[in-house]
Amino acid sequence: MPQKRTVKNSSKPTSSKVRSSRKTPAPRTKRPAAHAADPTSDEALLALDPGYASAPDIPLSVAERELTSLSRLARAQQARLSKIGITADKVDLLARFARRLGAIEKAWQKARGAVKLTSAQRRLRDEAETLDAKLVAGGRWGCRNDAAAQAELSRIAEGSGLADIIQDLRDLVDFWDDHEGALGVTDITKKDLARASALADALEDAAANEASDASAAQALELRNRTFWAADELAREIREGGRYAFRDQPKLATKFVSRYRASVKRRSHRKATATAPVAVPEPVPEA
């Protein structure tokens, strides 16, 4: 049986050198909290639900102006809005969305302009743009005393891209079908309206090329997503403003979208004008 060895054990180091060799662990530092993604960034916009890629229901130039105006109004009334949860951060975000929308619309226009068209397609596009302007200008004059017609022309006139030009021409043909009586005081002819329909059909292939271009398609999707994300925030601020200032009707009405209010009034008048008149049934003679 092997003899047991006795080992002297000491709990204390025998020299200062030993003591200094023990490293003291460095204090742990907290990692900085991750910053929330900027809602106006490409990454945040592309992560939104696919429904945000739908086409805007307001002309982009009008939307940008309204967003900027709303952010200024909300900033001026921030003290009262903060009490109902419309914080300064939300108002600042709305202003950033307005700037982002303007910048991304320019990016879309640039990408759209880079899409290659044949010389024949460019000629048709130029002709369509000229005819579009002629039909709108005639409506401005011929229907100058019709507020609803003017609002409709404003809606049609705003837009970008071949798809918009095509839709404009078709909408203008319908417009002049509804306001045929005003054609006599303009230089618009029946041949112009027939040509508008023909051009709309002829440009379909060119519009399809524009839509299939990767750069243009991505720019358009980002533009649309920016619009709807901004619109969602704007609706919250508008509703909050109308609630916060419900005791001041004049101020509350400033939180309404003038464009959408105009469209709503026009739709109501049109529905009223086309509603069938109820004819009372004859009362049988006694």
Side-chain angles (χ1 to χ4, degrees):
M1 187 173 189
Q3 185 177 0
K4 290 184 179 180
R5 298 175 61 188
T6 304
V7 180
K8 187 177 179 180
N9 184 24
S10 174
S11 60
K12 295 182 180 181
T14 58
S15 68
S16 59
K17 185 175 181 180
V18 175
R19 285 196 301 269
S20 64
S21 67
R22 293 182 177 180
K23 295 182 178 179
T24 303
R28 293 184 178 180
T29 56
K30 293 183 178 180
R31 292 183 179 180
H35 294 290
D38 179 4
T40 68
S41 68
D42 288 1
E43 294 78 11
L45 292 167
L46 292 173
L48 294 172
D49 185 89
Y52 284 82
S54 302
D57 66 342
I58 293 180
L60 267 293
S61 59
V62 175
E64 185 184 354
R65 288 197 301 269
E66 286 201 347
L67 291 172
T68 300
S69 177
L70 178 60
S71 65
R72 290 173 180 168
L73 173 63
R75 190 173 288 119
Q77 305 298 333
Q78 188 62 68
R80 194 158 179 177
L81 291 175
S82 293
K83 295 178 180 179
I84 63 165
I86 304 298
T87 64
D89 286 345
K90 287 185 177 181
V91 177
D92 289 342
L93 177 58
L94 184 69
R96 293 211 312 277
F97 264 126
R99 293 191 294 270
R100 176 74 166 129
L101 188 62
I104 209 165
E105 169 66 4
K106 290 180 181 178
W108 148 240
Q109 292 288 353
K110 183 178 180 180
R112 180 178 73 91
V115 178
K116 293 183 178 180
L117 300 176
T118 65
S119 58
Q121 288 172 332
R122 285 197 297 272
R123 285 196 298 272
L124 289 175
R125 180 197 61 191
D126 294 344
E127 183 185 353
E129 290 176 344
T130 300
L131 184 54
D132 186 339
K134 179 180 180 179
L135 297 179
V136 170
R140 292 296 190 195
W141 168 251
C143 303
R144 60 191 178 279
N145 297 319
D146 186 337
Q150 294 301 313
E152 179 69 7
L153 287 170
S154 295
R155 181 193 67 77
I156 294 172
E158 297 286 351
S160 57
L162 277 173
D164 290 308
I165 294 174
I166 291 170
Q167 190 60 52
D168 285 356
L169 292 176
R170 288 177 174 152
D171 287 347
L172 285 165
V173 170
D174 291 340
F175 174 89
W176 281 111
D177 185 53
D178 293 338
H179 301 86
E180 189 175 2
L183 281 173
V185 296
T186 73
D187 58 0
I188 298 171
T189 65
K190 293 285 188 179
K191 288 181 65 175
D192 288 329
L193 297 177
R195 183 58 178 163
S197 295
L199 284 170
D201 293 338
L203 285 168
E204 285 287 0
D205 288 342
N209 290 339
E210 182 180 271
S212 64
D213 182 85
S215 297
Q218 184 179 27
L220 180 60
E221 181 177 1
L222 279 172
R223 185 200 71 167
N224 293 351
R225 287 173 174 271
T226 302
F227 170 83
W228 287 113
D231 185 69
E232 189 173 64
L233 178 59
R235 285 177 184 272
E236 179 185 359
I237 293 175
R238 290 189 190 284
E239 291 174 11
R242 293 195 295 273
Y243 169 71
F245 296 99
R246 62 191 183 281
D247 58 339
Q248 300 179 44
K250 288 186 178 180
L251 185 52
T253 56
K254 293 183 178 181
F255 284 89
V256 174
S257 166
R258 295 180 63 183
Y259 181 88
R260 283 201 172 103
S262 174
V263 170
K264 188 175 181 179
R265 287 194 301 270
R266 185 175 68 249
S267 298
H268 177 72
R269 283 196 295 266
K270 191 171 183 179
T272 302
T274 58
V277 178
V279 180
E281 294 183 3
V283 179
E285 296 182 359

